[in-house]
Amino acid sequence: MLKPQACQFSSTKTILPLKNPFIHGSALPFIPRRPSFNKATNNSKLVFFTRNIKAVTTRTKKAAGVKATVTVKQTLSSRIYLGVNRGLDDIQDLLGRTLLLELVSAELDPRAGGEKKTIKGYARQASKEKADVKYEAKFEVPADFGEVGAVLVENEHHREMYLQEIVLDGFHNGPVNVKCASWVHSKFDNPDHKRVFFTNKSYLPWETPNGLKKLREEELKVLRGDGQGERKLFDRVYDYDVYNDLGDPDNDLNKKRPILGGKQFPYPRRCRTGRPMCETDPVSEKRTSVLPYVPRDEVFSDVKLLTFSTNYLYCLLHGMIPSLEGAIGDANRGFSSLTDIDQLFNEGINLPLQENKGFLKSVMPRLIKTITDTDDVLRFEPPPTVHKDKLFWYRDEEFARQTLAGCNPFGIRLVTEWPLKSKLDPQIYGPSESAISKELIEKQIKGYMTVDEAIKQKKLFILDYHDWFLPYVKKVRDVEGTTLYGSRTVFFLNPDDTLRPLAIELTRPPMDRKPVWKSVYTPSWNSTDVWLWRLAKAHVLAHDSYHHQLVSHWLRTHCCTEPYILAANRQLSEMHPVYRLLHPHFRYTMETNALGRQFLINGGGIIESSFTPSKYSMELNSLAYGQQWRFDHQGLPADLISRGMAVEDPAAPHGLRLSIKDYPFANDGLILWDAIKQWISEYISHYYSKASFIESDEELQAWWNEIRTVGHFDKKDEPGWPDLRTPQDLIEILTTMVWVCSGHHASVNFGQYAYAGYFPNRPTIARTKMPNEEPSVEEFPFFLENPEAVLFECFPSQMQAARVMAVWDVLSSHSPDEEYIGATIEPSWAENPDIKAAFDRFHGRLMELERVVDQRNGDRNLKNRFGAGILPYEFLKPFSEPGVTGKGVPTSISI
């Protein structure tokens, strides 16, 4: 048995400036942000008699002299903090009254029956080293005070401070460690509330020491708030709201957008900000130039802030894009040739002279290059796929391979019945049966087997975006500069486990007094059909790009996780072991989502201006949530089974038999899933030794109930919500959440630049209809005369391509302060020998996964991850260095 450890800390938590450094005269190019110090997620929790840990007690024969050492992280704002208040704060430091600490006993007063009086002391600055400032306070702790269970902190400065940890030293049983990793507001902002930080021991609700029960309850009330008013600077409130802040009708009526969340457009809930409603649309929340409120400890650290987020996206939207518009001229201008596209990576695009020379380059050094004293150019780094094979995007086998090993491995599914049929109303959308016939498929597979045999042997697979898109074809086609079809793409599984594309069906429903239009395209050996096939692939890739970005990525990870975070902070005390297990997996997610609402998925934002569905992008996203999302399908095994990509088989590795043995995402992902589940099983088994503990845990039950009935309110009465009655139920629920935040997100995020950075491989929009769809007198002859020009006209415009490539570049990048799954132990885990040992085993399994990935990528028999011009599959390799690497699984949805 390992001895209890002293507090070991994970990497530095969120550190954000109080005020915008740009406003305070810093050269750093920040945009106007939300006023800083909002909520703090008390990242330390209470502790008492957890198993296998000896209580740290102060019961001695005489009073104990205790020294408290508080570590405060210096931040960008603290270094440039000037003015009258700075002088007042300096005086407080000289007087030794920077922080008021109060030690809280875990025991009740046996005489009075209430909480014991706290022991107070001021902390004065003792040392300053690099980014850390140490403050010290001394206490005389009476022999009958009992165990210290928490520390109250009051910040005597006029601005917030970021507390990393508190160590209480001098007790006979060793030091008491308190992880803070949290912002503490100034007492001048909220004098009625002191911050409470619980020690590092974890307690189930009924184990809470009597002296801490009231604090535990009161802290949860603070975090829940009262649901009223606009969130203030000092608020630490987690509350729910619908997505009513995507439109901007007060600024432009054309940017009015429907509310997501409700019967018409079901959707998960987001964090409530309480901003006022629009004047022109009283159900929509006003948008401002600063980011929406998120609780204070959810925002990015200084390091993260300097390498991503507001800085980058603001400069992209308000610096680079206007410069591009000046350089390109016509926003609708497309590319005329592959040479034009190659210039994005070779010569680049000359940008007009900026007022603030070097401003863009300082924020976007990978993209903006200085070539002379006066000129900057936008020049993209060639993605690794282009280095491997410049024409990779042209090849049908690569098109098929990427459904298994690309950046959207969640779209492909097994064909289980024939003929393919729509479930939509045929009176509205036309005949339900697909135009992809049995005879066509059997011709394509050249008599290898019949369709019936292929289905029986699980040889046919499909990308099916037919029924999802068809109801929106008419709406999208009314928007200038884009078009839409319902689509189906059928693949055949070759004997070597590679996929072969067989046919693409594009459908336009009856509209504008025209009948339904369907056309099927196949790989061919005559030039006209070859070019039609290439154009059809461009449409399907645009459909799959939308599914990848808005469903596999945004909806299933970012969006659906936010209610888990809100419920955890509202219902689980920070000393609850489940909260401490989940908290690292929620790092930065709410801030990232706020950025998404502000810049990416908003009306007129990057998604709407660059993806095929245009202004209907989020409505379609709501449709996907309403029709497709179920909690019990979000775990990897259940997801694979639901798509027909696996069946349960106790004799197979991981208990699943894959429909495609060489499925890189699934093969690597299942190892990661099993490692996560084993770690969580050991953790939960330690705290819930009896099944009855689960149902009797009021906080845990309230958390799970609130996720279903509030956070995912529009789905609360639908199937897919597991019962929470046994430890095994809890293990499955938590493993699903952790997988979504780590492996699922990594698999769809960090390969974006590798595969979509060269946009012909994954165009985000198809701007023109197929040339054989009821062509005019001029259209089809022009296609025959210059098919390449028609393809490039269908591709994104120069503006659209440059915009999304810049976004994929930053979204694919790891921050220098990235925290990778299983890399760093949490302090509360490190102090428990059993939990520490389980975490060490978890880390060891992840190191083994690293080795297995390398071994598989060198296996010549695995043709979906090894071969000429093929990019090795490393998206689920757990660890990575900073930057755009195409590997690494962060602990949380951190970008």
Side-chain angles (χ1 to χ4, degrees):
M1 181 69 71
L2 295 173
K3 293 182 179 179
Q5 302 295 303
C7 185
Q8 300 179 21
F9 290 96
S10 55
S11 65
T12 304
K13 171 80 170 85
T14 307
I15 307 173
L16 182 71
L18 171 65
K19 297 289 185 184
N20 183 343
F22 187 75
I23 293 174
H24 285 273
S26 167
L28 295 173
F30 284 79
I31 68 160
R33 291 186 55 83
R34 68 174 73 82
S36 76
F37 67 108
N38 291 333
K39 124 97 174 136
T41 330
N42 321 346
N43 287 346
S44 49
K45 308 176 185 165
L46 331 169
V47 217
F48 219 52
F49 55 84
T50 44
R51 354 176 145 43
N52 300 318
I53 301 183
K54 294 180 179 179
V56 177
T57 179
T58 60
R59 287 198 183 95
T60 59
K61 294 182 179 180
K62 60 180 181 178
V66 174
K67 181 176 75 173
T69 302
V70 183
T71 302
V72 173
K73 306 296 289 188
Q74 289 198 87
T75 63
L76 291 174
S77 60
S78 65
R79 292 166 188 162
I80 60 170
Y81 175 34
L82 302 172
V84 174
N85 286 340
R86 174 59 183 266
L88 294 174
D89 290 348
D90 288 344
I91 293 173
Q92 289 290 86
D93 288 345
L94 289 172
L95 294 174
R97 298 171 66 89
T98 305
L99 294 167
L100 175 61
L101 307 182
E102 298 182 42
L103 306 185
V104 179
S105 174
E107 300 177 1
L108 294 177
D109 188 328
R111 289 161 294 185
E115 287 77 18
K116 292 183 178 180
K117 289 185 178 180
T118 60
I119 303 174
K120 300 181 180 181
Y122 282 101
R124 65 170 61 235
Q125 183 173 317
S127 65
K128 182 184 293 187
E129 297 180 7
K130 295 182 180 179
D132 292 347
V133 181
K134 302 284 188 181
Y135 292 85
E136 293 181 356
K138 294 183 178 180
F139 302 90
E140 286 294 318
V141 180
D144 60 351
F145 186 71
E147 183 175 343
V148 174
V151 180
L152 300 181
V153 179
E154 184 176 75
N155 175 10
E156 306 297 308
H157 275 190
H158 285 77
R159 64 188 298 131
E160 63 181 353
M161 301 176 71
Y162 185 83
L163 268 62
Q164 181 62 39
E165 65 171 326
I166 301 172
V167 178
L168 304 176
D169 206 357
F171 297 119
H172 292 281
N173 287 354
V176 175
N177 300 301
V178 182
K179 175 187 174 182
C180 304
S182 179
W183 293 93
V184 177
H185 64 271
S186 165
K187 75 172 185 180
F188 300 101
D189 290 302
N190 187 8
D192 298 326
H193 179 67
K194 298 175 183 178
R195 285 300 310 278
V196 55
F197 294 105
F198 298 108
T199 57
N200 287 351
K201 277 194 281 183
S202 298
Y203 294 99
L204 295 170
W206 59 86
E207 297 175 326
T208 310
N210 291 332
L212 302 178
K213 286 182 177 179
K214 184 177 179 181
L215 268 184
R216 182 170 185 150
E217 294 171 359
E218 288 178 346
E219 187 65 6
L220 284 173
K221 289 179 182 178
V222 170
L223 295 172
R224 291 174 194 144
D226 59 6
Q228 302 297 314
E230 185 171 3
R231 295 278 70 87
K232 301 297 191 298
L233 305 184
F234 49 81
D235 279 341
R236 301 188 301 116
V237 176
Y238 293 76
D239 203 355
Y240 299 92
D241 207 343
V242 294
Y243 279 71
N244 62 351
D245 63 342
L246 301 183
D248 191 10
D250 282 356
N251 185 50
D252 183 350
L253 281 174
N254 291 323
K255 291 184 179 179
K256 181 180 177 180
R257 296 293 181 267
I259 308 307
L260 301 186
K263 187 173 182 180
Q264 184 178 6
F265 296 109
Y267 215 60
R269 299 307 191 255
R270 63 166 175 90
C271 182
R272 180 184 178 276
T273 69
R275 291 183 295 187
M277 297 294 108
C278 292
E279 297 174 7
T280 56
D281 182 18
V283 297
S284 294
E285 190 173 278
K286 277 184 179 291
R287 293 176 62 84
T288 62
S289 58
V290 298
L291 289 183
Y293 162 85
V294 297
R296 182 64 181 95
D297 283 344
E298 304 296 339
V299 299
F300 293 148
S301 69
D302 281 0
V303 173
K304 184 81 167 179
L305 196 66
L306 289 172
T307 54
F308 173 57
S309 82
T310 309
N311 240 6
Y312 190 102
L313 291 175
Y314 184 81
C315 291
L316 173 65
L317 291 173
H318 301 280
M320 192 193 83
I321 289 178
S323 295
L324 269 178
E325 290 172 347
I328 294 172
D330 182 3
N332 295 317
R333 179 188 298 171
F335 295 88
S336 60
S337 66
L338 289 176
T339 302
D340 276 359
I341 296 173
D342 289 344
Q343 286 181 353
L344 292 172
F345 307 100
N346 299 328
E347 292 84 0
I349 301 174
N350 289 320
L351 300 177
L353 185 65
Q354 309 163 32
E355 284 187 27
N356 187 354
K357 179 64 181 169
F359 173 74
L360 287 177
K361 184 182 178 183
S362 68
V363 182
M364 311 169 81
R366 258 179 60 91
L367 301 184
I368 307 299
K369 316 293 183 184
T370 300
I371 55 173
T372 70
D373 291 337
T374 59
D375 294 329
D376 282 348
V377 297
L378 171 65
R379 184 189 300 152
F380 291 93
E381 297 286 338
T385 42
V386 175
H387 282 304
K388 287 269 188 180
D389 180 358
K390 194 171 183 180
L391 293 178
F392 78 106
W393 66 280
Y394 233 50
R395 296 189 284 109
D396 287 349
E397 62 270 26
E398 180 64 9
F399 166 56
R401 188 191 72 84
Q402 287 181 30
T403 64
L404 303 174
C407 56
N408 187 28
F410 289 91
I412 192 79
R413 59 179 57 243
L414 180 71
V415 175
T416 57
E417 59 184 11
W418 201 271
L420 302 173
K421 286 187 177 181
S422 169
K423 296 180 180 178
L424 298 174
D425 186 349
Q427 297 297 319
I428 300 174
Y429 298 104
S432 60
E433 189 166 316
S434 169
I436 302 177
S437 67
K438 179 182 292 189
E439 293 74 22
L440 183 146
I441 293 298
E442 290 176 351
K443 179 181 176 181
Q444 285 295 308
I445 59 180
K446 299 178 175 61
Y448 185 76
M449 61 178 62
T450 67
V451 166
D452 292 339
E453 290 171 335
I455 290 177
K456 186 176 180 180
Q457 295 180 35
K458 298 185 177 181
K459 295 290 186 180
L460 293 181
F461 296 83
I462 190 171
L463 290 178
D464 191 350
Y465 303 132
H466 183 274
D467 286 10
W468 182 30
F469 281 167
L470 211 60
Y472 274 80
V473 168
K474 169 70 167 89
K475 293 180 179 181
V476 171
R477 287 192 172 205
D478 287 339
V479 178
E480 185 179 356
T482 186
T483 192
L484 186 61
Y485 295 99
S487 70
R488 296 184 178 103
T489 307
V490 178
F491 302 86
F492 178 74
L493 182 63
N494 295 315
D496 63 357
D497 257 10
T498 59
L499 288 175
R500 183 198 318 174
L502 300 180
I504 293 172
E505 177 186 26
L506 299 179
T507 303
R508 182 202 69 196
M511 55 180 281
D512 299 334
R513 299 183 179 179
K514 297 177 181 178
V516 65
W517 179 89
K518 295 183 180 183
S519 187
V520 177
Y521 307 89
T522 60
S524 181
W525 286 263
N526 72 75
S527 61
T528 299
D529 287 347
V530 164
W531 278 103
L532 287 173
W533 169 254
R534 288 171 181 163
L535 280 158
K537 276 203 305 182
H539 281 272
V540 168
L541 286 166
H543 299 170
D544 193 60
S545 292
Y546 173 82
H547 178 268
H548 161 239
Q549 199 58 249
L550 271 296
V551 179
S552 301
H553 186 187
W554 164 259
L555 176 65
R556 291 183 61 179
T557 64
H558 290 262
C559 185
C560 287
T561 295
E562 188 152 340
Y564 311 156
I565 302 172
L566 293 169
N569 283 278
R570 289 167 53 84
Q571 300 298 341
L572 297 176
S573 167
E574 295 186 20
M575 67 177 78
H576 197 295
V578 170
Y579 180 92
R580 284 184 158 148
L581 175 69
L582 285 175
H583 186 260
H585 299 286
F586 295 156
R587 183 183 188 231
Y588 293 157
T589 302
M590 290 181 68
E591 170 86 337
T592 302
N593 291 358
L595 278 163
R597 302 203 314 272
Q598 189 78 353
F599 295 120
L600 300 178
I601 65 172
N602 58 301
I606 290 173
I607 296 297
E608 285 194 0
S609 62
S610 306
F611 281 74
T612 285
S614 187
K615 62 186 283 187
Y616 298 102
S617 292
M618 295 310 294
E619 286 188 34
L620 270 169
N621 204 230
S622 166
L623 191 64
Y625 174 71
Q627 294 181 353
Q628 302 170 19
W629 190 88
R630 302 171 42 136
F631 181 86
D632 62 347
H633 287 178
Q634 302 313 301
L636 179 57
D639 169 75
L640 294 170
I641 291 169
S642 72
R643 291 188 284 121
M645 302 303 291
V647 294
E648 292 187 34
D649 182 352
H654 318 288
L656 291 180
R657 185 173 72 253
L658 296 177
S659 300
I660 300 176
K661 294 179 182 178
D662 183 13
Y663 188 178
F665 158 72
N667 283 311
D668 294 357
L670 285 169
I671 295 178
L672 179 58
W673 169 273
D674 282 356
I676 292 170
K677 189 170 185 177
Q678 182 62 35
W679 150 240
I680 291 176
S681 297
E682 295 182 44
Y683 186 96
I684 293 303
S685 296
H686 177 81
Y687 289 102
Y688 294 93
S689 56
K690 296 181 180 179
S692 60
F693 287 179
I694 297 293
E695 289 193 86
S696 60
D697 188 335
E698 295 178 356
E699 287 184 6
L700 186 71
Q701 294 295 330
W703 163 75
W704 182 234
N705 182 67
E706 185 169 289
I707 287 172
R708 178 178 64 84
T709 62
V710 183
H712 286 272
F713 176 83
D714 302 327
K715 288 277 189 177
K716 65 183 178 69
D717 297 320
E718 295 187 11
W721 295 103
D723 290 331
L724 180 52
R725 297 176 179 173
T726 68
Q728 190 55 46
D729 294 337
L730 179 59
I731 289 165
E732 195 69 26
I733 289 168
L734 294 176
T735 303
T736 296
M737 290 182 178
V738 172
W739 159 257
V740 168
C741 294
S742 56
H744 180 147
H745 181 259
S747 71
V748 296
N749 186 77
F750 295 101
Q752 291 184 91
Y753 194 73
Y755 283 106
Y758 191 77
F759 76 86
N761 183 59
R762 292 191 67 79
T764 57
I765 186 171
R767 296 191 295 157
T768 58
K769 66 183 181 67
M770 291 294 293
N772 66 321
E773 183 200 335
E774 300 172 351
S776 66
V777 175
E778 299 84 10
E779 286 175 342
F780 202 74
F782 179 75
F783 162 69
L784 293 175
E785 184 69 25
N786 197 344
E788 186 179 58
V790 175
L791 178 62
F792 284 113
E793 187 180 358
C794 183
F795 278 160
S797 69
Q798 293 186 33
M799 276 297 305
Q800 289 169 329
R803 183 162 44 220
V804 297
M805 287 166 66
V807 173
W808 299 167
D809 181 83
V810 69
L811 294 184
S812 301
S813 182
H814 291 293
S815 170
D817 74 338
E818 194 81 270
E819 293 183 0
Y820 297 97
I821 188 166
T824 308
I825 193 168
E826 287 288 301
S828 62
W829 307 343
E831 292 188 20
N832 185 312
D834 290 346
I835 301 301
K836 182 182 183 302
F839 182 85
D840 290 342
R841 289 189 291 272
F842 177 46
H843 178 79
R845 295 185 193 102
L846 297 179
M847 294 301 295
E848 175 63 14
L849 174 56
E850 289 256 322
R851 185 194 65 78
V852 170
V853 169
D854 289 338
Q855 182 184 53
R856 287 173 172 174
N857 286 333
D859 188 339
R860 292 173 178 268
N861 295 316
L862 302 178
K863 300 187 185 303
N864 290 320
R865 62 196 305 160
F866 179 93
I870 288 179
L871 200 65
Y873 190 79
E874 296 185 312
F875 298 155
L876 292 175
K877 203 171 182 181
F879 310 114
S880 174
E881 60 274 10
V884 181
T885 65
K887 60 184 177 182
V889 180
T891 303
S892 64
I893 303 166
S894 58
I895 192 168

